[in-house]
Amino acid sequence: TQAPVNVTVTGAAGQIGYALLFRIASGQLLGPDTPVKLRLLEIPQAVKAAEGTAMELDDGAFPLLSGIDIFDDPKQAFSGTNIALLVGARPRTKGMERGDLLEANGGIFKPQGEAINAGAADDIRVLVVGNPANTNALIAKSHAPDVPADRFTAMTRLDHNRALAQLSKKLDVPVSDIKRLAIWGNHSATQYPMITHGTVGGKNLAEAVNDQTWVEETFIPTVAKRGAAIIEARGLSSAASAASAAIDHVYTWVNGTDEGDWTSAAVISDGSYGVPEGLISSFPVTAKDGKYEIVQGLEIDDFSRTRIDATVGELAEERDAVQKLGLI
Ligand code: NAX
């Protein structure tokens, strides 16, 4: 068998952590032949709770789980790590301005970026889940100059999966029939789920839907505001679905996309489609040989252009704000 892959999970005692760790331990992150070693990072007050989760992981008797270590120091938690899932973040609380939120998260993602730079394995791959995910990824990346920039990504796969679910219900087809869907921009209410180049059973998705009013007034807002709808219904934010999307994001990154299909991930922009270079923006992406690549050459219609510009504009504002705060 293979040597174990080191996987660091931050925010391990949180609700996404609780759903995510069992999926990783069961082999769903990297596949059924790859043993994993978990490195959990928490703040000191939550270490005891993380120990409780680790006890339950032990009790799962997972054949692929070859060890669990718990840390409250990022330097130790990221030492030798191959895959880092940055889930822990500072949530927005009542009365908090955006600047305060960005600053509080800078205090988390700057030292974590530095720790990744200092001690992670050469093949390190980072997925940021903690919000504001795109900008937190940008902060971490900025403090890891020795790590290739394309190893820092943020999660929009949950948005992608939410869009698949809505379309599957609308068209009464299995989710697996729907291909080439794409989330653009920020993981926020401004995100743009694009169906223009999608296919369903080999036919064009937008033509199959054939209802632009539904797209604009129901589909896009439902996908963009799904997080709030889950909180409203469950009394808690999305956790198992977020964990599932994180599993999907890494599994696809490592194992590749199917020929002719895409997925969505927030990756560093190379200037494609007018998205300013250096922003961590969601794009349609393929994965091959362990790399995410932006799908090139798509024609962008006027409606899509407006939506992409709006969400990318928000990302540029967040970047400017963290730049002013000296966080990047
Ligand atoms: P919880 O509040 O349940 O858990 C967060 C955990 O992070 C806590 O245990 C806390 O102690 C820990 N933490 C805080 N600062 C830390 C640090 N510096 N180092 C290590 N751990 C730290 O939140 P949960 O519901 O698990 O959500 C986690 C994050 O995911 C939030 O930022 C949330 O907004 C974000 N989400 C992102 C999604 C996405 O699609 N990108 C969707 C789901 C989710 O809303």
Side-chain angles (χ1 to χ4, degrees), residues 174-198:
V175 284
S176 53
D177 282 8
I178 302 168
K179 314 274 185 207
R180 299 188 171 213
L181 196 63
I183 305 293
W184 290 82
N186 202 1
H187 168 67
S188 76
T190 65
Q191 65 176 267
Y192 172 50
M194 182 182 79
I195 66 166
T196 326
H197 296 274

Side-chain angles (χ1 to χ4, degrees), residues 12-285:
Q15 49 151 8
I16 294 177
Y18 193 74
L20 179 59
L21 290 166
F22 291 85
R23 301 275 309 264
I24 299 172
S26 72
Q28 290 174 303
L29 187 74
L30 297 167
D33 302 321
T34 310
V36 290
K37 211 161 179 184
L38 284 169
R39 303 177 75 77
L40 312 184
L41 178 66
E42 259 296 350
I43 53 174
Q45 308 88 285
V47 161
K48 186 156 180 239
E51 285 168 356
T53 303
M55 287 162 70
E56 283 203 70
L57 285 162
D58 283 343
D59 295 349
F62 294 105
L64 290 171
L65 182 57
S66 69
I68 311 171
D69 290 301
I70 303 172
F71 306 95
D72 61 9
D73 168 22
K75 285 258 155 21
Q76 290 175 358
F78 293 110
S79 173
T81 208
N82 307 101
I83 294 185
L85 303 170
L86 310 190
V87 179
R90 174 71 165 81
R92 190 191 284 258
T93 38
K94 263 216 171 83
M96 209 178 188
E97 301 289 334
R98 189 174 66 164
D100 303 333
L101 179 75
L102 293 172
E103 191 155 29
N105 279 293
I108 295 173
F109 288 88
K110 177 175 183 245
Q112 292 186 359
E114 289 168 349
I116 287 167
N117 198 55
D122 286 344
D123 67 349
I124 178 71
R125 288 185 180 85
V126 182
L127 168 62
V128 177
V129 174
N131 282 319
N134 302 55
T135 298
N136 288 340
L138 181 67
I139 294 170
K141 190 223 79 163
S142 306
H143 297 280
D146 303 330
V147 176
D150 65 1
R151 306 289 184 76
F152 285 86
T153 63
M155 190 165 93
T156 52
R157 187 65 171 262
L158 178 56
D159 308 298
H160 182 98
N161 288 346
R162 286 166 171 168
L164 281 176
Q166 294 303 316
L167 288 160
S168 148
K169 283 192 205 300
K170 169 81 175 166
L171 298 171
D172 196 19
V173 297
V175 284
S176 53
D177 282 8
I178 302 168
K179 314 274 185 207
R180 299 188 171 213
L181 196 63
I183 305 293
W184 290 82
N186 202 1
H187 168 67
S188 76
T190 65
Q191 65 176 267
Y192 172 50
M194 182 182 79
I195 66 166
T196 326
H197 296 274
T199 63
V200 52
K203 291 199 287 279
N204 180 272
L205 181 57
E207 281 168 23
V209 169
N210 193 27
D211 186 350
Q212 186 61 16
T213 308
W214 178 81
V215 170
E216 289 180 35
E217 290 175 14
T218 304
F219 172 67
I220 295 175
T222 300
V223 173
K225 294 179 192 158
R226 186 70 166 179
I230 299 285
I231 293 173
E232 178 67 28
R234 211 170 81 87
L236 289 167
S237 57
S238 320
S241 56
S244 196
I247 295 281
D248 290 346
H249 177 111
V250 173
Y251 188 89
T252 302
W253 197 352
V254 172
N255 293 290
T257 36
D258 290 340
E259 195 60 44
D261 198 8
W262 313 326
T263 187
S264 304
V267 298
I268 185 132
S269 176
D270 57 0
S272 294
Y273 301 101
V275 179
E277 202 177 330
L279 288 182
I280 307 245
S281 173
S282 190
F283 285 99
V285 293

